[in-house]
Amino acid sequence: MKTIYKKLLFLFLLLPFTVLAQNTLKGTVVDKATGQPIPGVNVNVQGAPSGASTGFDGNYQLSNVKNGNKIVVSFIGYKTETIEYTGQKTLNVSLEEDTNQLKEVVVQVGYGTVKKKDATGSVSQISAKDFNKGINVTPETLISGRIAGVNVVGGGAPGAKADIRIRGGSSLSASNEPLIVLDGLPLTNDVPNGATSILSTIDPNDIESFTVLKDASAAAIYGSRAASGVIVITTKKGSKGGVKVNFSSQVGINTVANQVDVLNADQFRALVNEKGSPAQKALLGTANTNWQDEIFHTALTTNNNISVSGALFDKLPVRLSVGNVDNPGILRNTSFERTTTSISLNPVLFDNHLKIDINGNLAFGKNQFQDENAVIGSAIGFDPTQSVYEEGSRYGGYFEWLEANGNVPLLPARNPVARLNQDNRRATSTRKWGNVRLDYKFHFFEDLRAVVEAGIDRFDSNGNTTVSTESILGYQPKPFNGPDYVNYGNYSKYTDMLQNKNLNAYFNYVKDLGKFKVDATAGYNYQLFQRERYQSGELRQPNPNTDVITSPDINLQSYFGRVNLGYDSRYLATVNYRRDGSSRFSEKYRWGNFGGVALAWNVAEEAFLKDNETLSSLKLRFGYGTTGQQDISAAYDYLRRVTLGTINTQYIFGGKVYSTARPEGYNENIKWEELAEMNIGIDFGFLNDKITGSVNYFDKKSSDLLAEVVVPDGANIRNQGTYNIGSVRTKGVEFSIQSDVIKNDNLTWNVAFNTTYIDQKIDNLGTTVPGFQGYLTGDNIAGGSGNQIQVNSVGYAPRSFLVYEQLYDANKKPIAGAYVDRNGDGKIDASDRYRFHKPTADYTFGLFSTLNYKKFDFTMNWRASLGNYIFDNVSSNLGYSDAALRRDTDLSNVSADYLNTGFRYEDNGTQRYLSNYYIKDASFIKLDNITLGYTFDKNLLKAASLRFTAGVQNVFVLTKYNGLDPERFNGIDNNVYPRARTFLFGVNASF
């Protein structure tokens, strides 16, 4: 068997050379209007089983051509050319755009496809040629700022997960992440420990297109997981024709774009000498250390991919791709490395009646992490007058704050450089996923197809944390001034496994009845999610808390159906229905029913507009649908459960250790959260579709919200849990437009613009008591103890800021501890806090421009956000003098905002860190990337065509906000891993 595989591999590798050895017809295919080469054009001998396709330079080679053969040149969106071969060695072809065919772009919808002109719901698609340029380490960055209503906010850490929201999300505590369907396989948003995100394992070079189902009428076919929208990702497939090899390589130089503004060494000395005690003044050092310079550096990213595609034995379309990205972070000793392999086999059998798609993918990841919040926080707040190193230090030669007797104090910050070098956190991961799709068109009834899809996705990780025996953070059970002092360091490890199994089976019936067209689908879906984890605890400490955690299986089952009706391509209707069952709910509430209806009128197909070149396209759409939400952390919250306690809750009786058993809180009435959405849309095109665009108005309401809320004392065994309460209303408008501004033989300029307005408010939060301000939510802020700054309140946007209203003096300087008595009761207390702005934007904008001049190309991508606010937690936590002078045994730096306020106390009864002074306008305009490219045809290198690129990512930001970055998804700026500014260089070769 191995011998057969070796022979097949040998033949596969030999195929390009055998093609070159034959007599060939060569030529170039270009756009008739612009003269620009067209990649991917099919060039075939009429009636022959195989052919060739053009590279990205438009060149092709077609072998074994005989006099009298008909050469057929075809490509989507262009008129097909048929030319007789008369012995010429070179045949150059100019293709003319077919405007009618351009309107028939096919987009992915749930369990099928539909022509774009026949789509009734709000569906947006973006393909590979329109993706954002530059080094895209993870797929989310390909579409950032490109689709109206879709907001993508990435992080700065290597391979960091991006937060994606479609139309603002819809839930309070349940997941607001969209459902992602990869080649027919619905993914989970969960990732194992030691990995960054589910999409970070996918090589962006392998992606062909993104399709976004935004409204409920379009997404309802996915039912239970579609409340936050659906993103369908399609990867590149094999194609018939000769073998094509594509190689791309990029190098990026990642630099630090910005730093948190704190006092420099001289300013800090002045502060301590002015306000410090004699003991504190004596602690000042002689160094001038910028601790952020010490922990950040310039790093080099490489991104390489090679793919081979073609038809194996002239029969089997196949594509094989291998990629590697190595992305060290700008924070030292952080990195993300991914190696991917993917294969796609797409045979067609039984006279085109059976289509088989087989996709297999393997991804290896290697990550190095840090305790980023602690390290960056230490660098921001560490005394700038101290050196990184101290001679004679027992902690690896690093300076650390110690007590007079040499013991380790509890409260001071630790040396951030030491933390980076003495705390080693590494993880490796392996993800294996694939899908098999069988699409059979019945021989005896060709209008009917049976489709079966089976997929599996397994994600394994293992990692460890090693703390040096010279680290101040190591396990030191005995005091340094005692006789038995020893530093054991620390060591812990873990493993994690997630598995997702999926089965789809459905029938599809398509029939043209004169001017009527019927497209009906009905089927069944099964999905199972499993997880098992192991945690060792601290193995160098006594009684490590070792644990194996097997999460309850989550099972989703569904029955679905859809009918598309069309009359003469003018009047269109879609009706869909889905019945979903989730194991997260009891039998009483397990099943939910969700459906949608959408209507469309292709006005441009009416006699009075047909063939009108001025108003070349016009379609009116209306849709209404419902979807469900069940994605919460609690797997079986409806069950009454008893669990065993941990090692921390054991008792000893008679010398024997007994574990405790404790009842868990529960909610037997927990049920589906439901979303109902209405969408009205217009699709338009002018000047023979030289200008195209769409406008959508949507109004959606989530009810029976799955929210994490506080439980009254005595009402349950727990004090908080997940319950169905209240509703959220979201309204908005989306607008997108694109145009070929200039299009001639030498110059083309395409511009695409989109904008979205969203108004989201909480309508109801269930039964409340007078004076109830809402449920506190969001992350705890730095400052005080356990404080939260955000709240969910009726009549306001989710996660609005809950703060005191600051008073100012005549010079507009904030007065410490002075706030407005908003309820007029003569005192300042929690009841005077009020809702003040929100972290989400009112308006978002995206602008993409592509300019081609002869063999040069230039692209740029802009984004903007208006009406979003941010809580400056760095200044609220460190913007007062006592932050530097808390103790007589150590010093800490303060935010430069102290120079603006002169605040002294952290609290002193004033709750200074809850002032609206720290809520800042974070509106911004960003130039995300610019890229310049030049293409060499095969005149330079006969074996390949080459394209060279250079560019910059995260070019600049225009904003009023003085902090590190105005774009924070959770609205809180505190110890953030900064986004790098990247200078990139790349080459692409096509053989």
Side-chain angles (χ1 to χ4, degrees):
M1 200 68 180
K2 290 184 178 178
T3 303
I4 294 174
Y5 287 146
K6 290 180 179 178
K7 288 180 178 179
L8 289 175
L9 181 60
F10 178 76
L11 289 172
F12 180 72
L13 295 174
L14 192 63
L15 190 57
F17 300 98
T18 60
V19 171
L20 292 172
Q22 297 170 350
N23 294 324
T24 58
L25 172 65
K26 301 179 180 180
T28 303
V29 181
V30 300
D31 184 293
K32 187 173 183 179
T34 67
Q36 294 295 313
I38 308 174
V41 177
N42 295 313
V43 184
N44 304 290
V45 174
Q46 194 173 64
S50 62
S53 59
T54 60
F56 71 84
D57 58 354
N59 292 337
Y60 71 90
Q61 295 181 117
L62 185 63
S63 63
N64 214 13
V65 186
K66 300 176 183 178
N67 282 332
N69 283 158
K70 302 291 186 181
I71 309 301
V72 180
V73 184
S74 61
F75 188 63
I76 292 176
Y78 289 84
K79 294 179 180 178
T80 298
E81 293 285 338
T82 303
I83 304 165
E84 184 174 351
Y85 179 69
T86 58
Q88 59 267 51
K89 293 184 178 180
T90 302
L91 179 61
N92 297 324
V93 181
S94 298
L95 292 184
E96 182 180 358
E97 281 190 352
D98 186 340
T99 55
N100 290 326
Q101 196 181 128
L102 284 172
K103 297 177 184 178
E104 298 191 2
V105 174
V106 174
V107 296
Q108 294 284 336
V109 293
Y111 309 103
T113 59
V114 66
K115 292 179 181 178
K116 175 67 175 174
K117 71 182 184 68
D118 293 336
T120 55
S122 182
V123 180
S124 297
Q125 185 180 69
I126 181 170
S127 58
K129 66 183 180 67
D130 297 317
F131 288 161
N132 291 330
K133 311 305 179 186
I135 293 185
N136 293 295
V137 175
T138 58
E140 305 98 315
T141 57
L142 295 172
I143 61 171
S144 178
R146 301 303 315 282
I147 301 174
V150 180
N151 193 32
V152 181
V153 180
K161 174 185 179 296
D163 290 293
I164 305 173
R165 291 294 179 269
I166 297 176
R167 293 183 168 179
S170 58
S171 189
L172 291 183
S173 298
S175 173
N176 278 304
E177 297 283 347
L179 169 64
I180 296 174
V181 181
L182 176 62
D183 286 332
L185 176 64
L187 304 181
T188 174
N189 288 311
D190 293 334
V191 293
N193 292 323
T196 55
S197 75
I198 196 69
L199 290 181
S200 68
T201 58
I202 303 171
D203 190 336
N205 292 290
D206 291 333
I207 295 178
E208 179 65 33
S209 68
F210 287 83
T211 303
V212 182
L213 313 181
K214 293 187 283 190
D215 72 329
S217 69
I221 193 69
Y222 284 111
S224 65
R225 302 184 61 199
S228 299
V230 182
I231 298 178
V232 180
I233 300 176
T234 303
T235 59
K236 296 174 182 176
K237 305 291 189 293
S239 60
K240 293 183 178 180
V243 174
K244 294 182 293 183
V245 179
N246 187 273
F247 172 74
S248 66
S249 181
Q250 294 176 307
V251 175
I253 303 170
N254 305 314
T255 63
V256 180
N258 198 7
Q259 291 185 355
V260 175
D261 196 6
V262 294
L263 301 188
N264 61 34
D266 290 337
Q267 290 173 319
F268 186 73
R269 287 189 184 92
L271 170 65
V272 176
N273 285 324
E274 177 187 354
K275 295 184 177 294
S277 66
Q280 290 168 336
K281 294 176 185 178
L283 295 174
L284 286 169
T286 58
N288 294 282
T289 304
N290 183 326
W291 289 98
Q292 293 178 75
D293 282 346
E294 297 295 333
I295 66 168
F296 295 114
H297 69 151
T298 297
L300 194 69
T301 292
T302 59
N303 187 10
N304 299 290
N305 177 273
I306 186 169
S307 64
V308 182
S309 62
L312 195 58
F313 311 118
D314 291 331
K315 296 290 185 183
L316 177 60
V318 61
R319 183 179 187 273
L320 176 66
S321 171
V322 178
N324 174 267
V325 61
D326 186 6
N327 180 207
I330 55 174
L331 178 64
R332 295 179 186 273
N333 295 336
T334 60
S335 65
F336 169 78
E337 184 179 358
R338 178 191 63 225
T339 301
T340 57
T341 301
S342 66
I343 187 168
S344 174
L345 304 172
N346 314 101
V348 180
L349 307 174
F350 305 134
D351 192 25
N352 290 329
H353 280 70
L354 178 61
K355 298 179 180 179
I356 303 175
D357 292 316
I358 303 173
N359 298 300
N361 303 269
L362 181 63
F364 300 98
K366 290 199 303 184
N367 294 315
Q368 184 175 9
F369 304 100
Q370 290 292 333
D371 188 353
E372 295 162 9
N373 186 70
V375 170
I376 296 173
S378 291
I380 293 171
F382 214 81
D383 179 359
T385 69
Q386 305 299 333
S387 298
V388 176
Y389 303 98
E390 181 181 46
E391 188 176 350
S393 168
R394 68 177 184 270
Y395 293 114
Y398 293 102
F399 171 85
E400 297 283 7
W401 294 111
L402 299 174
E403 295 177 354
N405 58 9
N407 288 333
V408 178
L410 178 64
L411 298 175
R414 311 307 182 194
N415 186 318
V417 179
R419 297 190 74 136
L420 282 176
N421 295 327
Q422 296 177 332
D423 191 338
N424 191 9
R425 304 180 181 213
R426 295 182 182 272
T428 60
S429 62
T430 303
R431 184 180 175 212
K432 302 180 285 285
W433 75 99
N435 205 45
V436 177
R437 185 176 191 269
L438 305 177
D439 184 340
Y440 176 63
K441 180 169 62 175
F442 288 88
H443 280 78
F444 55 87
F445 189 24
E446 295 197 352
D447 297 327
L448 182 65
R449 296 163 43 237
V451 181
V452 177
E453 294 177 304
I456 189 168
D457 183 2
R458 179 170 174 134
F459 205 162
D460 294 271
S461 71
N462 64 82
N464 63 79
T465 299
T466 304
V467 178
S468 167
T469 56
E470 293 186 332
S471 170
I472 196 170
L473 298 175
Y475 176 55
Q476 304 165 69
K478 303 292 185 180
F480 178 73
N481 58 357
D484 301 322
Y485 171 79
V486 63
N487 189 341
Y488 291 104
N490 266 317
Y491 179 76
S492 62
K493 59 183 179 179
Y494 58 86
T495 62
D496 205 347
M497 183 281 293
L498 281 79
Q499 187 164 266
N500 164 20
K501 298 176 182 177
N502 180 74
L503 173 67
N504 301 321
Y506 59 93
F507 290 99
N508 177 244
Y509 174 77
V510 179
K511 184 69 174 179
D512 289 326
L513 303 169
K515 292 186 177 182
F516 284 96
K517 181 176 182 179
V518 179
D519 184 339
T521 300
Y524 169 77
N525 170 247
Y526 174 93
Q527 198 155 19
L528 180 67
F529 302 93
Q530 299 168 300
R531 183 172 190 175
E532 185 173 285
R533 292 171 285 166
Y534 161 76
Q535 298 171 347
S536 71
E538 292 294 348
L539 296 176
R540 295 180 184 173
Q541 298 184 24
N543 302 316
N545 191 11
T546 302
D547 199 6
V548 175
I549 305 167
T550 301
S551 299
D553 292 353
I554 302 298
N555 183 216
L556 305 176
Q557 298 187 40
S558 308
Y559 301 92
F560 59 86
R562 178 181 58 222
V563 177
N564 293 323
L565 301 173
Y567 175 75
D568 198 25
S569 294
R570 289 183 290 165
Y571 311 114
L572 309 165
T574 299
V575 179
N576 56 50
Y577 168 78
R578 183 166 175 130
R579 180 167 171 79
D580 282 309
S582 171
S583 63
R584 283 189 167 100
F585 306 129
S586 67
E587 290 186 14
K588 181 179 179 180
Y589 298 106
R590 181 155 297 162
W591 292 90
N593 299 290
F594 310 102
V597 60
L599 306 171
W601 177 24
N602 262 326
V603 185
E605 295 295 324
E606 299 289 351
F608 60 86
L609 270 183
K610 196 152 188 161
D611 300 322
N612 187 313
E613 294 188 359
T614 303
L615 183 56
S616 47
S617 297
L618 181 63
K619 182 169 67 175
L620 308 180
R621 293 180 283 103
F622 169 82
Y624 178 86
T626 60
T627 52
Q629 173 63 275
Q630 54 80 50
D631 193 359
I632 55 178
S633 58
Y636 294 117
D637 203 48
Y638 65 90
L639 287 177
R640 301 188 183 196
R641 293 154 292 145
V642 176
T643 58
L644 290 177
T646 66
I647 192 174
N648 298 317
T649 56
Q650 294 177 335
Y651 288 90
I652 301 176
F653 294 104
K656 188 174 181 180
V657 177
Y658 293 89
S659 296
T660 59
R662 62 183 183 191
E664 296 286 347
Y666 66 96
N667 176 12
E668 59 188 0
N669 295 316
I670 193 170
K671 60 182 181 179
W672 289 92
E673 176 182 311
E674 294 191 13
L675 171 76
E677 181 173 9
M678 182 268 291
N679 190 95
I680 299 174
I682 302 174
D683 301 327
F684 58 85
F686 296 103
L687 305 177
N688 212 17
D689 282 1
K690 183 177 180 180
I691 301 172
T692 59
S694 66
V695 181
N696 286 280
Y697 168 79
F698 60 90
D699 185 346
K700 60 182 182 178
K701 184 174 182 178
S702 299
S703 56
D704 290 327
L705 293 171
L706 289 166
E708 190 78 12
V709 298
V710 176
V711 178
D713 292 340
N716 206 298
I717 301 172
R718 60 191 178 192
N719 56 16
Q720 68 178 42
T722 303
Y723 292 84
N724 295 95
I725 61 157
S727 59
V728 170
R729 185 84 173 266
T730 307
K731 302 176 184 179
V733 178
E734 300 167 348
F735 173 76
S736 62
I737 189 170
Q738 60 181 11
S739 173
D740 293 321
V741 180
I742 301 173
K743 194 169 187 179
N744 58 44
D745 291 346
N746 292 321
L747 179 65
T748 62
W749 181 25
N750 179 271
V751 176
F753 171 79
N754 69 78
T755 183
T756 305
Y757 166 75
I758 291 180
D759 177 25
Q760 187 174 62
K761 287 183 172 60
I762 297 172
D763 278 352
N764 183 276
L765 283 176
T767 304
T768 60
V769 297
F772 176 70
Q773 292 183 307
Y775 294 104
L776 290 172
T777 187
D779 299 328
N780 287 343
I781 64 170
S785 177
N787 287 303
Q788 291 174 290
I789 197 78
Q790 293 171 304
V791 68
N792 290 327
S793 299
V794 174
Y796 296 89
R799 297 187 298 128
S800 294
F801 297 110
L802 186 66
V803 290
Y804 292 102
E805 185 177 358
Q806 182 71 52
L807 290 174
Y808 297 82
D809 64 18
N811 297 318
K812 297 183 179 181
K813 188 174 181 178
I815 304 170
Y819 307 113
V820 175
D821 180 11
R822 294 183 63 88
N823 64 0
D825 63 357
K827 60 182 179 179
I828 302 297
D829 56 22
S831 61
D832 291 304
R833 292 173 70 178
Y834 75 115
R835 273 75 58 180
F836 183 67
H837 295 307
K838 56 185 175 47
T840 53
D842 296 320
Y843 299 89
T844 56
F845 306 87
L847 176 66
F848 184 76
S849 172
T850 302
L851 185 70
N852 294 277
Y853 177 70
K854 295 185 177 179
K855 295 180 181 180
F856 286 96
D857 59 86
F858 176 76
T859 63
M860 61 178 177
N861 185 28
W862 296 78
R863 284 187 305 118
S865 181
L866 182 64
N868 53 300
Y869 284 75
I870 197 168
F871 176 61
D872 183 3
N873 199 192
V874 174
S875 295
S876 73
N877 185 41
L878 298 176
Y880 60 100
S881 59
D882 275 6
L885 308 169
R886 290 186 177 99
R887 295 168 293 274
D888 281 342
T889 54
D890 63 270
L891 302 173
S892 297
N893 205 353
V894 300
S895 163
D897 188 63
Y898 162 73
L899 302 177
N900 301 322
T901 65
F903 286 158
R904 176 180 177 183
Y905 299 110
E906 177 185 26
D907 191 329
N908 198 33
T910 67
Q911 295 191 295
R912 176 197 49 78
Y913 37 76
L914 299 179
S915 166
N916 71 350
Y917 169 77
Y918 297 108
I919 307 299
K920 307 292 186 180
D921 185 353
S923 302
F924 64 82
I925 299 174
K926 284 190 175 186
L927 178 54
D928 275 345
N929 62 64
I930 54 174
T931 304
L932 177 66
Y934 186 84
T935 301
F936 292 92
D937 57 25
K938 290 186 178 180
N939 293 330
L940 178 67
L941 187 63
K942 292 184 178 180
S945 50
L946 300 173
R947 179 173 178 267
F948 292 91
T949 57
V952 185
Q953 289 179 223
N954 190 20
V955 186
F956 62 77
V957 183
L958 302 176
T959 182
K960 294 180 180 178
Y961 181 55
N962 292 323
L964 186 67
D965 192 330
E967 192 172 23
R968 285 291 294 158
F969 181 75
N970 68 352
I972 298 175
D973 182 9
N974 181 37
N975 302 345
V976 175
Y977 196 126
R979 295 180 178 92
R981 176 166 297 134
T982 302
F983 300 88
L984 62 97
F985 306 90
V987 60
N988 184 285
S990 179
F991 300 88

